[in-house]
């Protein structure tokens, strides 16, 4: 079985947090998707930030988090803002 750390953008600490949130394989992360995985992380770790969400989306897409398209980043900022109870995009 593949390890979470075999995925792009997923280091040991992120893998540990994902496992605690019930996502312990790359397959489970792909099935959940970045937004659901981030929601599960935020439930356990309220201090996760937008960069974590970018990292998860990059892992799902198998791209570096800095290479995400701007439209995707905007969508993720809006999701993060909504999750945090903010209106509009998060900075």
């Amino acid at each position: 079985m593949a390890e979470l750390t075999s995925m792009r953008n997923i280091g040991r600490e992120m893998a540990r947090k994902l496992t605690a949130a019930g996502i312990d394989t790359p397959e489970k992360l792909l099935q959940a998707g970045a937004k659901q995985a981030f929601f599960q992380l935020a439930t356990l770790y309220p201090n996760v930030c937008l960069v974590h969400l970018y990292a998860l989306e990059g892992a799902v897409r198998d791209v570096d988090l800095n290479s995400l398209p701007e439209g995707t980043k905007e969508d993720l900022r809006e999701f993060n803002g909504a999750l945090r109870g903010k209106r509009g995009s998060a900075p």
Side-chain angles (χ1 to χ4, degrees):
M1 180 179 348
E3 299 287 326
L4 283 166
T5 54
S6 69
M7 298 181 82
R8 193 180 301 257
N9 307 314
I10 306 295
R12 288 189 335 206
E13 184 63 14
M14 176 72 91
R16 182 188 68 76
K17 288 178 179 178
L18 285 167
T19 298
I23 300 171
D24 57 359
T25 65
E27 293 78 20
K28 286 183 182 178
L29 177 54
L30 293 172
Q31 183 177 23
K35 290 179 180 178
Q36 179 61 38
F38 184 75
F39 176 78
Q40 289 176 231
L41 283 178
T43 301
L44 291 175
Y45 304 99
N47 292 330
V48 293
C49 66
L50 184 60
V51 174
H52 291 91
L53 183 53
Y54 287 173
L56 291 167
E57 185 66 27
V60 167
R61 292 179 181 225
D62 193 27
V63 299
D64 184 76
L65 65 99
N66 294 313
S67 297
L68 292 170
E70 190 53 43
T72 299
K73 289 181 182 180
E74 178 62 26
D75 177 58
L76 296 174
R77 283 190 294 269
E78 288 176 9
F79 175 80
N80 183 58
L83 190 62
R84 304 291 182 194
K86 298 175 184 172
R87 299 188 138 249
S89 300

